[in-house]
PDB file of all heavy atoms in Angstrom:
ATOM      1  N   ARG B  61     -77.362  37.786  44.010  1.00 97.00           N
ATOM      2  CA  ARG B  61     -77.341  38.231  42.604  1.00 97.00           C
ATOM      3  C   ARG B  61     -77.191  39.744  42.465  1.00 97.00           C
ATOM      4  O   ARG B  61     -77.069  40.250  41.346  1.00 97.00           O
ATOM      5  CB  ARG B  61     -78.643  37.801  41.925  1.00 97.00           C
ATOM      6  CG  ARG B  61     -78.833  36.289  41.825  1.00 97.00           C
ATOM      7  CD  ARG B  61     -80.059  35.912  41.015  1.00 97.00           C
ATOM      8  NE  ARG B  61     -81.298  36.396  41.607  1.00 97.00           N
ATOM      9  CZ  ARG B  61     -82.076  37.331  41.054  1.00 97.00           C
ATOM     10  NH1 ARG B  61     -81.768  37.883  39.888  1.00 97.00           N
ATOM     11  NH2 ARG B  61     -83.197  37.702  41.645  1.00 97.00           N
ATOM     12  N   PHE B  62     -77.240  40.460  43.577  1.00 98.00           N
ATOM     13  CA  PHE B  62     -77.233  41.925  43.547  1.00 98.00           C
ATOM     14  C   PHE B  62     -75.889  42.486  44.012  1.00 98.00           C
ATOM     15  O   PHE B  62     -75.382  42.082  45.066  1.00 98.00           O
ATOM     16  CB  PHE B  62     -78.347  42.478  44.445  1.00 98.00           C
ATOM     17  CG  PHE B  62     -79.725  41.991  44.060  1.00 98.00           C
ATOM     18  CD1 PHE B  62     -80.265  40.846  44.629  1.00 98.00           C
ATOM     19  CD2 PHE B  62     -80.461  42.673  43.108  1.00 98.00           C
ATOM     20  CE1 PHE B  62     -81.527  40.394  44.261  1.00 98.00           C
ATOM     21  CE2 PHE B  62     -81.723  42.238  42.744  1.00 98.00           C
ATOM     22  CZ  PHE B  62     -82.261  41.097  43.317  1.00 98.00           C
ATOM     23  N   THR B  63     -75.342  43.402  43.230  1.00 98.00           N
ATOM     24  CA  THR B  63     -74.103  44.079  43.597  1.00 98.00           C
ATOM     25  C   THR B  63     -74.296  45.566  43.355  1.00 98.00           C
ATOM     26  O   THR B  63     -74.793  45.966  42.299  1.00 98.00           O
ATOM     27  CB  THR B  63     -72.915  43.580  42.759  1.00 98.00           C
ATOM     28  OG1 THR B  63     -72.795  42.163  42.909  1.00 98.00           O
ATOM     29  CG2 THR B  63     -71.621  44.245  43.221  1.00 98.00           C
ATOM     30  N   VAL B  64     -73.907  46.361  44.340  1.00 98.00           N
ATOM     31  CA  VAL B  64     -73.949  47.808  44.161  1.00 98.00           C
ATOM     32  C   VAL B  64     -72.515  48.325  44.129  1.00 98.00           C
ATOM     33  O   VAL B  64     -71.682  47.925  44.934  1.00 98.00           O
ATOM     34  CB  VAL B  64     -74.798  48.493  45.264  1.00 98.00           C
ATOM     35  CG1 VAL B  64     -74.313  48.157  46.655  1.00 98.00           C
ATOM     36  CG2 VAL B  64     -74.823  49.988  45.061  1.00 98.00           C
ATOM     37  N   PHE B  65     -72.251  49.188  43.170  1.00 98.00           N
ATOM     38  CA  PHE B  65     -70.945  49.819  43.015  1.00 98.00           C
ATOM     39  C   PHE B  65     -71.105  51.313  43.259  1.00 98.00           C
ATOM     40  O   PHE B  65     -72.060  51.920  42.785  1.00 98.00           O
ATOM     41  CB  PHE B  65     -70.409  49.603  41.597  1.00 98.00           C
ATOM     42  CG  PHE B  65     -70.121  48.165  41.263  1.00 98.00           C
ATOM     43  CD1 PHE B  65     -71.095  47.367  40.673  1.00 98.00           C
ATOM     44  CD2 PHE B  65     -68.882  47.608  41.536  1.00 98.00           C
ATOM     45  CE1 PHE B  65     -70.845  46.040  40.369  1.00 98.00           C
ATOM     46  CE2 PHE B  65     -68.615  46.279  41.229  1.00 98.00           C
ATOM     47  CZ  PHE B  65     -69.596  45.504  40.644  1.00 98.00           C
ATOM     48  N   LEU B  66     -70.134  51.877  43.979  1.00 97.00           N
ATOM     49  CA  LEU B  66     -70.155  53.307  44.243  1.00 97.00           C
ATOM     50  C   LEU B  66     -68.871  53.945  43.738  1.00 97.00           C
ATOM     51  O   LEU B  66     -67.775  53.508  44.105  1.00 97.00           O
ATOM     52  CB  LEU B  66     -70.318  53.568  45.745  1.00 97.00           C
ATOM     53  CG  LEU B  66     -70.237  55.016  46.207  1.00 97.00           C
ATOM     54  CD1 LEU B  66     -71.361  55.846  45.596  1.00 97.00           C
ATOM     55  CD2 LEU B  66     -70.267  55.112  47.730  1.00 97.00           C
ATOM     56  N   ASN B  67     -69.022  54.991  42.950  1.00 97.00           N
ATOM     57  CA  ASN B  67     -67.879  55.778  42.472  1.00 97.00           C
ATOM     58  C   ASN B  67     -68.049  57.184  43.028  1.00 97.00           C
ATOM     59  O   ASN B  67     -68.780  58.006  42.478  1.00 97.00           O
ATOM     60  CB  ASN B  67     -67.847  55.789  40.942  1.00 97.00           C
ATOM     61  CG  ASN B  67     -66.662  56.555  40.388  1.00 97.00           C
ATOM     62  OD1 ASN B  67     -66.114  57.452  41.043  1.00 97.00           O
ATOM     63  ND2 ASN B  67     -66.257  56.216  39.184  1.00 97.00           N
ATOM     64  N   LYS B  68     -67.400  57.430  44.163  1.00 95.00           N
ATOM     65  CA  LYS B  68     -67.595  58.706  44.858  1.00 95.00           C
ATOM     66  C   LYS B  68     -67.110  59.884  44.059  1.00 95.00           C
ATOM     67  O   LYS B  68     -67.714  60.954  44.075  1.00 95.00           O
ATOM     68  CB  LYS B  68     -66.897  58.675  46.212  1.00 95.00           C
ATOM     69  CG  LYS B  68     -67.707  58.038  47.308  1.00 95.00           C
ATOM     70  CD  LYS B  68     -66.999  58.143  48.634  1.00 95.00           C
ATOM     71  CE  LYS B  68     -66.907  59.574  49.135  1.00 95.00           C
ATOM     72  NZ  LYS B  68     -66.259  59.650  50.460  1.00 95.00           N
ATOM     73  N   SER B  69     -65.998  59.719  43.370  1.00 95.00           N
ATOM     74  CA  SER B  69     -65.449  60.860  42.623  1.00 95.00           C
ATOM     75  C   SER B  69     -66.400  61.283  41.501  1.00 95.00           C
ATOM     76  O   SER B  69     -66.510  62.460  41.179  1.00 95.00           O
ATOM     77  CB  SER B  69     -64.069  60.531  42.072  1.00 95.00           C
ATOM     78  OG  SER B  69     -64.144  59.435  41.191  1.00 95.00           O
ATOM     79  N   ALA B  70     -67.093  60.314  40.919  1.00 96.00           N
ATOM     80  CA  ALA B  70     -68.049  60.613  39.855  1.00 96.00           C
ATOM     81  C   ALA B  70     -69.451  60.839  40.396  1.00 96.00           C
ATOM     82  O   ALA B  70     -70.373  61.150  39.624  1.00 96.00           O
ATOM     83  CB  ALA B  70     -68.074  59.470  38.841  1.00 96.00           C
ATOM     84  N   LYS B  71     -69.641  60.640  41.695  1.00 96.00           N
ATOM     85  CA  LYS B  71     -70.967  60.735  42.324  1.00 96.00           C
ATOM     86  C   LYS B  71     -71.964  59.857  41.563  1.00 96.00           C
ATOM     87  O   LYS B  71     -73.046  60.309  41.142  1.00 96.00           O
ATOM     88  CB  LYS B  71     -71.459  62.181  42.406  1.00 96.00           C
ATOM     89  CG  LYS B  71     -70.626  63.064  43.332  1.00 96.00           C
ATOM     90  CD  LYS B  71     -71.329  64.393  43.581  1.00 96.00           C
ATOM     91  CE  LYS B  71     -70.622  65.233  44.599  1.00 96.00           C
ATOM     92  NZ  LYS B  71     -69.319  65.744  44.157  1.00 96.00           N
ATOM     93  N   HIS B  72     -71.570  58.615  41.418  1.00 97.00           N
ATOM     94  CA  HIS B  72     -72.349  57.681  40.617  1.00 97.00           C
ATOM     95  C   HIS B  72     -72.404  56.338  41.317  1.00 97.00           C
ATOM     96  O   HIS B  72     -71.406  55.877  41.879  1.00 97.00           O
ATOM     97  CB  HIS B  72     -71.695  57.517  39.242  1.00 97.00           C
ATOM     98  CG  HIS B  72     -72.370  56.517  38.361  1.00 97.00           C
ATOM     99  ND1 HIS B  72     -73.477  56.808  37.602  1.00 97.00           N
ATOM    100  CD2 HIS B  72     -72.104  55.198  38.150  1.00 97.00           C
ATOM    101  CE1 HIS B  72     -73.854  55.732  36.943  1.00 97.00           C
ATOM    102  NE2 HIS B  72     -73.041  54.741  37.250  1.00 97.00           N
ATOM    103  N   LEU B  73     -73.584  55.728  41.303  1.00 97.00           N
ATOM    104  CA  LEU B  73     -73.668  54.352  41.755  1.00 97.00           C
ATOM    105  C   LEU B  73     -74.498  53.532  40.787  1.00 97.00           C
ATOM    106  O   LEU B  73     -75.265  54.087  39.987  1.00 97.00           O
ATOM    107  CB  LEU B  73     -74.207  54.227  43.184  1.00 97.00           C
ATOM    108  CG  LEU B  73     -75.607  54.690  43.529  1.00 97.00           C
ATOM    109  CD1 LEU B  73     -76.102  53.917  44.738  1.00 97.00           C
ATOM    110  CD2 LEU B  73     -75.599  56.159  43.889  1.00 97.00           C
ATOM    111  N   SER B  74     -74.258  52.241  40.845  1.00 98.00           N
ATOM    112  CA  SER B  74     -74.991  51.356  39.946  1.00 98.00           C
ATOM    113  C   SER B  74     -75.367  50.081  40.688  1.00 98.00           C
ATOM    114  O   SER B  74     -74.698  49.673  41.639  1.00 98.00           O
ATOM    115  CB  SER B  74     -74.164  51.035  38.698  1.00 98.00           C
ATOM    116  OG  SER B  74     -72.960  50.393  39.056  1.00 98.00           O
ATOM    117  N   LEU B  75     -76.437  49.493  40.239  1.00 98.00           N
ATOM    118  CA  LEU B  75     -76.914  48.212  40.759  1.00 98.00           C
ATOM    119  C   LEU B  75     -76.827  47.196  39.631  1.00 98.00           C
ATOM    120  O   LEU B  75     -77.378  47.422  38.551  1.00 98.00           O
ATOM    121  CB  LEU B  75     -78.358  48.334  41.240  1.00 98.00           C
ATOM    122  CG  LEU B  75     -79.039  47.028  41.682  1.00 98.00           C
ATOM    123  CD1 LEU B  75     -78.397  46.494  42.958  1.00 98.00           C
ATOM    124  CD2 LEU B  75     -80.533  47.235  41.873  1.00 98.00           C
ATOM    125  N   HIS B  76     -76.113  46.110  39.886  1.00 98.00           N
ATOM    126  CA  HIS B  76     -75.994  45.030  38.926  1.00 98.00           C
ATOM    127  C   HIS B  76     -76.808  43.845  39.419  1.00 98.00           C
ATOM    128  O   HIS B  76     -76.672  43.442  40.592  1.00 98.00           O
ATOM    129  CB  HIS B  76     -74.533  44.618  38.750  1.00 98.00           C
ATOM    130  CG  HIS B  76     -73.687  45.665  38.095  1.00 98.00           C
ATOM    131  ND1 HIS B  76     -72.588  45.345  37.317  1.00 98.00           N
ATOM    132  CD2 HIS B  76     -73.769  47.012  38.078  1.00 98.00           C
ATOM    133  CE1 HIS B  76     -72.033  46.464  36.870  1.00 98.00           C
ATOM    134  NE2 HIS B  76     -72.735  47.480  37.324  1.00 98.00           N
ATOM    135  N   ILE B  77     -77.598  43.294  38.544  1.00 98.00           N
ATOM    136  CA  ILE B  77     -78.367  42.093  38.873  1.00 98.00           C
ATOM    137  C   ILE B  77     -77.952  41.029  37.862  1.00 98.00           C
ATOM    138  O   ILE B  77     -78.121  41.196  36.646  1.00 98.00           O
ATOM    139  CB  ILE B  77     -79.890  42.336  38.753  1.00 98.00           C
ATOM    140  CG1 ILE B  77     -80.320  43.559  39.579  1.00 98.00           C
ATOM    141  CG2 ILE B  77     -80.661  41.093  39.203  1.00 98.00           C
ATOM    142  CD1 ILE B  77     -81.770  43.967  39.362  1.00 98.00           C
ATOM    143  N   VAL B  78     -77.364  39.940  38.410  1.00 97.00           N
ATOM    144  CA  VAL B  78     -76.951  38.886  37.467  1.00 97.00           C
ATOM    145  C   VAL B  78     -77.057  37.529  38.141  1.00 97.00           C
ATOM    146  O   VAL B  78     -76.574  37.375  39.280  1.00 97.00           O
ATOM    147  CB  VAL B  78     -75.515  39.154  36.947  1.00 97.00           C
ATOM    148  CG1 VAL B  78     -74.531  39.312  38.080  1.00 97.00           C
ATOM    149  CG2 VAL B  78     -75.058  38.075  36.004  1.00 97.00           C
ATOM    150  N   PRO B  79     -77.699  36.547  37.526  1.00 97.00           N
ATOM    151  CA  PRO B  79     -78.465  36.691  36.299  1.00 97.00           C
ATOM    152  C   PRO B  79     -79.838  37.292  36.560  1.00 97.00           C
ATOM    153  O   PRO B  79     -80.433  37.065  37.624  1.00 97.00           O
ATOM    154  CB  PRO B  79     -78.601  35.231  35.837  1.00 97.00           C
ATOM    155  CG  PRO B  79     -78.620  34.432  37.109  1.00 97.00           C
ATOM    156  CD  PRO B  79     -77.712  35.161  38.059  1.00 97.00           C
ATOM    157  N   SER B  80     -80.345  38.042  35.621  1.00 98.00           N
ATOM    158  CA  SER B  80     -81.674  38.636  35.777  1.00 98.00           C
ATOM    159  C   SER B  80     -82.747  37.563  35.615  1.00 98.00           C
ATOM    160  O   SER B  80     -82.608  36.625  34.813  1.00 98.00           O
ATOM    161  CB  SER B  80     -81.886  39.719  34.711  1.00 98.00           C
ATOM    162  OG  SER B  80     -80.896  40.709  34.819  1.00 98.00           O
ATOM    163  N   GLN B  81     -83.814  37.729  36.394  1.00 97.00           N
ATOM    164  CA  GLN B  81     -84.932  36.780  36.350  1.00 97.00           C
ATOM    165  C   GLN B  81     -86.225  37.550  36.102  1.00 97.00           C
ATOM    166  O   GLN B  81     -86.337  38.725  36.488  1.00 97.00           O
ATOM    167  CB  GLN B  81     -85.035  36.033  37.692  1.00 97.00           C
ATOM    168  CG  GLN B  81     -83.814  35.224  38.045  1.00 97.00           C
ATOM    169  CD  GLN B  81     -83.854  34.659  39.451  1.00 97.00           C
ATOM    170  OE1 GLN B  81     -84.764  34.967  40.231  1.00 97.00           O
ATOM    171  NE2 GLN B  81     -82.877  33.831  39.792  1.00 97.00           N
ATOM    172  N   PRO B  82     -87.228  36.904  35.508  1.00 96.00           N
ATOM    173  CA  PRO B  82     -88.497  37.615  35.258  1.00 96.00           C
ATOM    174  C   PRO B  82     -89.106  38.219  36.526  1.00 96.00           C
ATOM    175  O   PRO B  82     -89.716  39.287  36.466  1.00 96.00           O
ATOM    176  CB  PRO B  82     -89.388  36.510  34.672  1.00 96.00           C
ATOM    177  CG  PRO B  82     -88.433  35.581  33.999  1.00 96.00           C
ATOM    178  CD  PRO B  82     -87.209  35.576  34.884  1.00 96.00           C
ATOM    179  N   GLY B  83     -88.908  37.578  37.668  1.00 95.00           N
ATOM    180  CA  GLY B  83     -89.418  38.111  38.927  1.00 95.00           C
ATOM    181  C   GLY B  83     -88.739  39.388  39.379  1.00 95.00           C
ATOM    182  O   GLY B  83     -89.219  40.054  40.302  1.00 95.00           O
ATOM    183  N   ASP B  84     -87.637  39.735  38.729  1.00 97.00           N
ATOM    184  CA  ASP B  84     -86.956  40.993  39.043  1.00 97.00           C
ATOM    185  C   ASP B  84     -87.663  42.184  38.395  1.00 97.00           C
ATOM    186  O   ASP B  84     -87.321  43.339  38.678  1.00 97.00           O
ATOM    187  CB  ASP B  84     -85.504  40.955  38.544  1.00 97.00           C
ATOM    188  CG  ASP B  84     -84.669  39.909  39.260  1.00 97.00           C
ATOM    189  OD1 ASP B  84     -84.956  39.606  40.443  1.00 97.00           O
ATOM    190  OD2 ASP B  84     -83.724  39.373  38.630  1.00 97.00           O
ATOM    191  N   SER B  85     -88.603  41.943  37.521  1.00 97.00           N
ATOM    192  CA  SER B  85     -89.306  43.036  36.842  1.00 97.00           C
ATOM    193  C   SER B  85     -90.065  43.875  37.864  1.00 97.00           C
ATOM    194  O   SER B  85     -90.939  43.373  38.575  1.00 97.00           O
ATOM    195  CB  SER B  85     -90.278  42.470  35.794  1.00 97.00           C
ATOM    196  OG  SER B  85     -89.581  41.754  34.800  1.00 97.00           O
ATOM    197  N   ALA B  86     -89.701  45.142  37.961  1.00 96.00           N
ATOM    198  CA  ALA B  86     -90.252  46.058  38.968  1.00 96.00           C
ATOM    199  C   ALA B  86     -89.657  47.436  38.697  1.00 96.00           C
ATOM    200  O   ALA B  86     -88.857  47.605  37.781  1.00 96.00           O
ATOM    201  CB  ALA B  86     -89.874  45.595  40.377  1.00 96.00           C
ATOM    202  N   VAL B  87     -90.046  48.395  39.514  1.00 96.00           N
ATOM    203  CA  VAL B  87     -89.389  49.705  39.470  1.00 96.00           C
ATOM    204  C   VAL B  87     -88.331  49.744  40.564  1.00 96.00           C
ATOM    205  O   VAL B  87     -88.600  49.363  41.709  1.00 96.00           O
ATOM    206  CB  VAL B  87     -90.406  50.850  39.682  1.00 96.00           C
ATOM    207  CG1 VAL B  87     -89.691  52.202  39.673  1.00 96.00           C
ATOM    208  CG2 VAL B  87     -91.471  50.818  38.592  1.00 96.00           C
TER     209      VAL B  87
END
Side-chain angles (χ1 to χ4, degrees):
Chain B
R61 296 186 298 113
F62 302 92
T63 303
V64 56
F65 295 92
L66 175 63
N67 182 335
K68 276 185 68 178
S69 61
K71 294 191 174 68
H72 177 83
L73 62 154
S74 60
L75 174 68
H76 292 210
I77 307 172
V78 55
S80 302
Q81 299 172 354
D84 295 331
S85 298
V87 178

